[in-house]
Amino acid sequence: MVPTYAPAAWLPVRGKGCWLWDQDGRQYLDFTAGIAVSGLGHAHDAVVATLTEQAQRLWHVGNGYTNEPVLRLATALTEATFADRAFFANSGAEANEAAFKLARKWAHSRHGAGKSRLVACFNAFHGRTLFTVSVGGQAKYTEGYEPLPAGITHLAFNDVDALRAAMGPDVCALVIEPVQGEGGVTPATPEFLRAARELATAHQALLIFDEVQCGMGRTGALYAYMDAGVVPDILTTAKALGNGFPIGAMLTTEEVASAFSVGAHGSTYGGNPLAAAVALKVFETISEPRFLSRVREAGKRLREGLEALVAAYPQVFAQLRGRGLMLGMVLAEGFKGRAKELTRHTEAENLLLLIAGPDVVRVVPPLIVSDDEIDEALRRLARAVGAFIGKA
Ligand SMILES: Cc1ncc(COP(=O)(O)O)c(C=O)c1O
């Protein structure tokens, strides 16, 4: 394989719930959920049953036909959200690519070609296609890929004044993650989201929320915009939507969707019956009010435990931030740049954690995590922190 990744030396070979096993039978508590993907954990019984049943019935038909699972999934997603229409893709990046292309198409058709600028945030992450890295605003992902697509400007996340200053008649859309994931697990402030809505409307621009990471129950709401009380014009969702089966979706209103005509955009696999059947089962499970209230309860327990750890080691941690089961431990000044090193210590304790940039340890367990598993993870993490600072 091309050397784009630096994988762990061990191989996961089996998973169940919040647990993973390697080829030697060593067992890990997985609080990475495959990078905030496996909301229902590994090998979830109902999802496996749905996948198996659909695999025996129909996998793929091509876009000359629609199919039953995708029609059901589109209905479920639009009934549960602000949206009237869905477009299906295979990943978060592709859902965002569709969103950005739709915003341009909508603005061109309604207001002319001069209205094409996308306003996005520094430190955001929207995927790895050339358009999505360019909107993402992290130089490390665009360096060496120039020339980049034009007509994109960036501002500091949560800076309302900068947002106001960035707007103009040429803006077609504002792009925001309600909780920045890869950039450091940073929630948008309510003022920033409200200002974004007001300014987008005032400038006849679209508001796009990228909920690829923070959506599908991760924050304790089905989608983070629902808690924020700010409704976008376009929302993208992926990751947990398929629980590991590749699928992404772009949701939007009837009016905005109508800017896409037949042939304007497409994907060979997007919304194929197998992916759609799996996603529908996942969606039905996660969108249950009882499931979401358990996510909030689990999030509170995990937050309290992590806050206690942050308070116990003020020399190591500056802050805990995030929402629901999407939490980030921010390293203090003296430990900056060492997040990966700390996760190596947790791995030695058989606890898997992620980083979100060099200074933040990201904690995103499966949404089905039990109280016992949270407590066990906190014990393992405390031991790892002890070893990290050389006290063990
Ligand atoms: C907010 C956000 N948007 C988009 C993406 C890209 O998704 P994918 O890797 O499925 O293309 C990610 C992935 O981490 C993400 O966190």
Side-chain angles (χ1 to χ4, degrees), residues 35 91-94 96 125-127 177 182 210 212-213 238-239:
I35 317 189
S91 65
E94 286 175 71
N96 283 329
F125 188 82
H126 300 299
E177 286 166 89
E182 301 302 308
D210 176 347
V212 166
Q213 185 157 161
K239 283 193 183 275

Side-chain angles (χ1 to χ4, degrees), residues 74-113:
T75 302
L77 286 167
T78 53
E79 279 179 354
T81 64
F82 73 95
D84 310 307
R85 298 279 163 184
F87 173 82
F88 292 100
N90 312 291
S91 65
E94 286 175 71
N96 283 329
E97 186 83 19
F100 305 157
K101 284 179 71 179
L102 176 59
R104 287 248 172 105
K105 196 79 162 169
W106 173 85
H108 280 209
S109 64
R110 304 295 191 271
H111 303 281

Side-chain angles (χ1 to χ4, degrees), residues 20-102:
L20 275 179
W21 286 263
D22 73 9
Q23 68 275 49
D24 298 322
R26 185 168 154 190
Q27 187 178 346
Y28 301 84
L29 187 49
D30 178 12
F31 270 40
T32 73
I35 317 189
V37 165
S38 313
L40 298 178
H42 302 285
H44 185 274
D45 288 343
V47 178
V48 171
T50 299
L51 173 73
T52 312
E53 197 203 315
Q54 188 62 41
Q56 283 163 351
R57 185 186 292 265
L58 184 68
W59 292 28
H60 181 76
V61 286
N63 294 312
Y65 309 89
T66 188
N67 64 78
E68 290 174 336
V70 84
L71 291 170
R72 287 194 202 107
L73 178 62
T75 302
L77 286 167
T78 53
E79 279 179 354
T81 64
F82 73 95
D84 310 307
R85 298 279 163 184
F87 173 82
F88 292 100
N90 312 291
S91 65
E94 286 175 71
N96 283 329
E97 186 83 19
F100 305 157
K101 284 179 71 179
L102 176 59

